[in-house]
Amino acid sequence: MTTKSYILNYRKADLPMQTTLSKFLSTRGAIIADVQRNALIVSDIPDQFGKLDNVIQFLDTPAQQVEIEARLLSANKSFSRDLGSQLGIVLGNNSQNKVTGVSSVGSSPFSTRNPPPSVGSSIPLSVNLPAAGTSGLSFLLGEGANTLLDEIITAAEAHGTAKIISRPHVMTQNNQAATIQQGTQIPVQTNQNNTVSVQFISFTLKLTATPQITSLGTILLNVQIENSQPDFARAVNGIPSVATQSVTTNILMGDGETLVIGGILVDQDTNNISQVPGLGSIPLIGHLFKDSQVIKSTAELMFFITPRIQSAGNLNVVPAAEKPPGQR
């Protein structure tokens, strides 16, 4: 029996490496791994070491590397409009019989100089559906007349656009996954068996790319993209649900070509109406008896992924003939 040691430079002296080499040993051969020195100690009959030397030399070589450049474009567009109305009216102001609103609905912000005793200094509102207004108009009718009217129209409108670009770079070896992610962690408190604990839920935008270099110099790229966000509108016991969009694809690309991935789209269109039954449905005049809110938003994520093969010559690898004595 002969014993020989192999110090590995580019492969790990782990179980998969031992399993591969064990197939080239005789029935008397054995392999021991030294993890600290990343070495394999092989004992076998002398005739087996010729094949072992060739196999180890083939496996323990620097793998080609791929530089992955990812450009992220996040385009957001939003629009909102809110139109509200507050209406206070007194009919028969100068008579004993009056028709007016209800104080519990609200009171007009305007004071009346000569109000009837049953009304007070402010007219009770019949319609109280204001908008979170940034502009408004008011119409006042009265002061001693038989009809008192306070009408307030509030309105707000907003437009927004945003574009966010990030350009991360990552380097990975052939057939090794590279991961780029950005996000946040939300603490969630749970109580089980009278024991309070805090767990962190991750919500991230994650890109995982695994390149495989072919013999023709092209790249077979496996890409996985996942975007997760908390959805507190569907929370259970204070724990938010997870809204997720994901894309998985495999594509054959040339060195330096760019892959465009889109379609991670969130489109929201909301129309909320609060109105007085019946009166709010009257054309044109019905706007005095309702609050209408329109919200539209569009958000889209687009990825531009460019892989580039890095030659082993950029690694300054020392040829085996120039290595110091004691190293294979």
Side-chain angles (χ1 to χ4, degrees), residues 120-163:
S121 60
S122 297
I123 298 176
L125 293 177
S126 301
V127 178
N128 190 15
L129 298 172
T134 56
S135 60
L137 292 173
S138 60
F139 304 92
L140 308 180
L141 177 66
E143 292 304 334
N146 196 45
T147 300
L148 303 180
L149 173 68
D150 285 0
E151 169 63 25
I152 305 168
I153 299 176
T154 50
E157 184 171 309
H159 301 260
T161 58
K163 181 175 67 175

Side-chain angles (χ1 to χ4, degrees), residues 198-265:
V198 178
Q199 298 179 346
F200 287 87
I201 302 178
S202 297
F203 299 93
T204 61
L205 175 60
K206 183 177 180 180
L207 166 65
T208 302
T210 305
Q212 177 182 335
I213 303 174
T214 68
S215 59
L216 300 177
T218 57
I219 302 173
L220 181 61
L221 191 65
N222 175 267
V223 179
Q224 295 177 341
I225 299 174
E226 181 177 341
N227 182 33
S228 60
Q229 295 178 346
D231 187 357
F232 289 96
R234 296 177 176 85
V236 178
N237 297 328
I239 302 176
S241 58
V242 182
T244 304
Q245 300 92 36
S246 62
V247 174
T248 301
T249 184
N250 287 277
I251 187 170
L252 183 64
M253 305 176 59
D255 184 14
E257 290 185 349
T258 299
L259 170 65
V260 181
I261 299 178
I264 305 179
L265 178 68

Side-chain angles (χ1 to χ4, degrees), residues 11 32 88-89 103 111 125 142 166 182 207 221 243 258-259 323 325:
R11 294 289 298 270
I32 301 176
I89 187 170
S103 299
S111 299
L125 293 177
S166 61
Q182 179 182 4
L207 166 65
L221 191 65
T258 299
L259 170 65
K323 293 181 180 178

Side-chain angles (χ1 to χ4, degrees), residues 183 190 266:
T190 59
V266 178

Side-chain angles (χ1 to χ4, degrees), residues 274-283 285-287 289-290:
S274 301
Q275 67 178 26
V276 177
L279 298 177
S281 301
I282 301 176
I285 301 177
H287 290 286
F289 302 95
K290 66 181 178 181

